[in-house]
């Protein structure tokens, strides 16, 4: 199968590597409006050739859109306009409601499978693409009842070959749960980096003292605003809701410290320790 | 050299393993008020024998106190009372001002070296002890001018053999900087776990969807309240100060989302990205 990857960054590039390696596709066409990235992806042998979207669509069956969710809103309708019954189109966006509302009435909606691989790193661009990024990770497929059966089969087969776990959700559930388990983590990490950069004027001290704990809570703050601002924009309502709760929890801790109520503070930490049971 | 480790948990146990392996000590006596932990530490061959503190002090040169900072306030003065010129006493506490104020006038203050290894994991107890926890990590020594030269030399030699980086600070600086690069990370992680446990009633969904990003921001929430409540208590002033700033940063993000001012939000994320230059 010939596959096209639109957006040859961390996710698109890592998918390209895996599709080839796991025998899902034998030829990968890359499409990227950033000519530098396209060239790098080719130099790194992540893609076999670069092409325009129109040219790529004429020659490939599987088209994966691995671009920020705001760009997806622009491009998906145009891709569906050109799609025929031989095409399967998949996205990898972190938000789903807006994009699915946008294409709900499109005559070729059935060729589209809305997907979100729960995998990534804080880095971006084709140099960040890595092998096995998706192995043993979860792939969420949304509103699959609106995808044609044969298109869904192509994607389910791909997910299986990539050795991913498959989870089905509707778009509304997806956006709610990802706000809790992904989007809020990025907000807290960005805010923590800003806090420390603001308070810690002696940056050499951060370098000397930062240990694993600090690094792991703040590493997501290296993530690209090009990807994340559109996510927060699309999932604004859910993100605000969980952010409100998070600020409330921090204020509660602050008040307990102010009052020196260490007994209640102890109980709160014990309660938070319950996350042990849920995290692998 | 015979060394005594008081507190055979994550840090004490890992130190015991390293002291033996790197040839700093050839016999390790464990002291622990928790008899189960002491037995486990012996079964795991982390320590060579268990003993009472009094017995252990009579036979060892190096005594390392690896216990929560509140217990340290109780035990350090008693240990110094019994210390002779043959003893070197070191702690590993995460806060320094209170403990150093407490023993400032003690006649045997010189035998004590105040230390804080910037290393750890979210786990606790002797089973959590691991090899090479300290390799390439930073050891902070505080107010070393108040330690006897020969005692300091023993510790500096140990730090060198453990292949750690050495940093000197006064207690005030130490408590300020660790609030920024360690204590606040734990507060945010506890609060994030509480937020998600509060909002996400379908805990199976966390399990399915949680990826590396969520895990890394929330893993510190597995940490023990026995260790952390005393740290927040001892460093209350600095922790409140940095927590205030962190809440302020989150509120700013919330307001930008409410106003849909994505341009300023983008700039904030770009600013937080500067953490890339500081983190290794």
């Amino acid at each position: 199968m010939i596959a096209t990857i639109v957006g040859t960054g961390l996710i698109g590039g890592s998918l390209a590597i895996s599709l080839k390696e796991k025998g899902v596709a034998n030829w990968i066409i890359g499409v990227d409006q950033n000519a530098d990235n396209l060239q790098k992806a080719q130099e790194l042998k992540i893609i076999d050739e670069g092409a325009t979207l129109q040219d790529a669509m004429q020659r490939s069956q599987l088209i994966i859109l691995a671009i920020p969710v705001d760009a997806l809103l622009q491009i998906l309708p145009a891709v569906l306009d050109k799609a025929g019954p031989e095409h399967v189109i998949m996205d990898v966006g972190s938000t789903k409601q807006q994009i699915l509302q946008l294409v709900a009435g499109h005559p070729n909606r059935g060729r589209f499978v809305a997907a979100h691989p729960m995998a990534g790193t804080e880095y971006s661009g084709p140099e960040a693409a890595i092998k096995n990024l998706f192995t043993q990770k979860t792939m969420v497929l949304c509103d699959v009842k609106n995808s044609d059966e044969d298109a869904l089969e192509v994607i389910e087969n791909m997910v299986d070959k990539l050795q991913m776990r498959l989870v089905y959700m509707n778009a509304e559930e997806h956006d709610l749960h990802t706000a809790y388990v992904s989007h809020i983590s990025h907000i807290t990490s960005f805010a923590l980096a800003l806090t420390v950069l603001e308070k810690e004027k002696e940056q050499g001290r951060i370098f000397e003292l930062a240990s694993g704990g600090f690094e792991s809570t703040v590493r997501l703050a290296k993530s690209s605003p090009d990807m994340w601002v559109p996510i927060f924009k699309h999932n604004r309502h859910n993100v605000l809701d969980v952010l409100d709760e998070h600020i409330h929890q921090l204020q509660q801790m602050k008040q307990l410290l102010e009052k020196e109520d260490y007994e209640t503070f102890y109980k709160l930490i014990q309660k938070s320790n319950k996350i042990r049971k849920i995290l692998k």
Side-chain angles (χ1 to χ4, degrees), chain A:
Chain A
M1 181 164 70
I2 299 177
T4 289
I5 305 278
V6 182
T8 55
L10 163 70
I11 298 294
S14 300
L15 263 174
I17 294 171
S18 294
L19 291 181
K20 258 309 211 5
E21 199 185 64
K22 309 288 186 187
V24 179
N26 50 12
W27 190 261
I28 307 273
I29 306 176
V31 174
D32 206 308
Q33 62 170 13
N34 180 328
D36 281 351
N37 276 359
L38 199 59
Q39 200 189 325
K40 271 185 222 157
Q42 209 164 349
E43 282 166 12
L44 293 165
K45 300 197 190 304
I46 290 170
I47 57 170
D48 294 300
E49 63 167 306
T52 63
L53 178 58
Q54 192 160 4
D55 178 31
M57 278 192 75
Q58 278 166 5
R59 293 189 290 135
S60 40
Q61 187 200 351
L62 176 62
I63 294 128
I64 297 179
L65 305 173
I67 51 181
V69 289
D70 54 343
L72 195 59
L73 284 184
Q74 306 298 318
I75 287 174
L76 181 61
V79 169
L80 284 181
D81 288 347
K82 285 176 223 145
E86 73 281 15
H87 286 124
V88 177
I89 295 135
M90 184 187 102
D91 78 326
V92 296
S94 297
T95 58
K96 286 288 174 267
Q97 280 181 282
Q98 283 209 23
I99 193 71
L100 285 173
Q101 274 160 18
L102 182 73
V103 297
H106 196 286
N108 296 329
R109 165 67 182 89
R111 306 316 300 160
F112 176 56
V113 179
H116 182 195
M118 303 304 296
T121 74
E122 64 274 34
Y123 303 106
S124 43
E127 308 92 330
I130 46 177
K131 260 187 168 188
N132 294 322
L133 178 61
F134 305 103
T135 316
Q136 302 307 322
K137 303 290 166 54
T138 295
M139 177 73 96
V140 185
L141 299 186
C142 288
D143 291 357
V144 291
K145 64 182 187 309
N146 299 327
S147 299
D148 293 344
E149 252 180 62
D150 69 299
L152 183 58
E153 249 172 54
V154 168
I155 299 304
E156 288 174 334
N157 178 45
M158 181 198 80
V159 170
D160 188 49
K161 287 198 175 158
L162 294 180
Q163 296 167 274
M164 299 183 76
R165 284 189 301 264
L166 198 49
V167 169
Y168 301 92
M169 273 182 204
N170 66 43
E172 200 182 337
E173 282 178 288
H174 171 275
D175 286 6
L176 183 75
H177 296 303
T178 52
Y180 302 156
V181 302
S182 166
H183 306 171
I184 188 67
S185 287
H186 284 80
I187 295 255
T188 59
S189 221
F190 292 131
L192 187 59
L194 289 171
T195 301
V196 173
L197 291 169
E198 180 64 36
K199 296 298 287 184
E200 180 58 284
K201 300 300 180 192
E202 296 178 56
Q203 300 194 348
R205 290 303 196 192
I206 307 181
F207 187 81
E208 282 175 342
L209 295 180
S211 63
F214 180 69
E215 267 195 77
S216 76
T217 43
V218 93
R219 75 172 175 86
L220 298 180
K222 300 176 189 172
S223 303
S224 161
D226 292 325
M227 171 173 174
W228 282 95
V229 170
I231 292 173
F232 298 141
K233 191 173 170 181
H234 283 207
N235 208 17
R236 178 171 165 266
H237 179 75
N238 288 320
V239 169
L240 273 175
D241 190 45
V242 64
L243 182 52
D244 243 356
E245 176 64 30
H246 186 53
I247 291 172
H248 168 75
Q249 294 289 348
L250 285 167
Q251 274 166 338
Q252 190 181 357
M253 288 186 160
K254 187 185 148 191
Q255 280 155 17
L256 292 172
L257 264 185
E258 278 170 346
K259 287 191 294 183
E260 304 204 56
D261 179 354
Y262 299 113
E263 208 176 311
T264 311
F265 206 119
Y266 189 98
K267 283 179 194 156
L268 269 189
I269 294 183
Q270 268 187 321
K271 203 172 150 192
S272 84
N273 284 168
K274 286 185 186 150
I275 204 79
R276 281 181 200 150
K277 290 187 200 160
I278 300 167
L279 283 184
K280 296 133 253 190

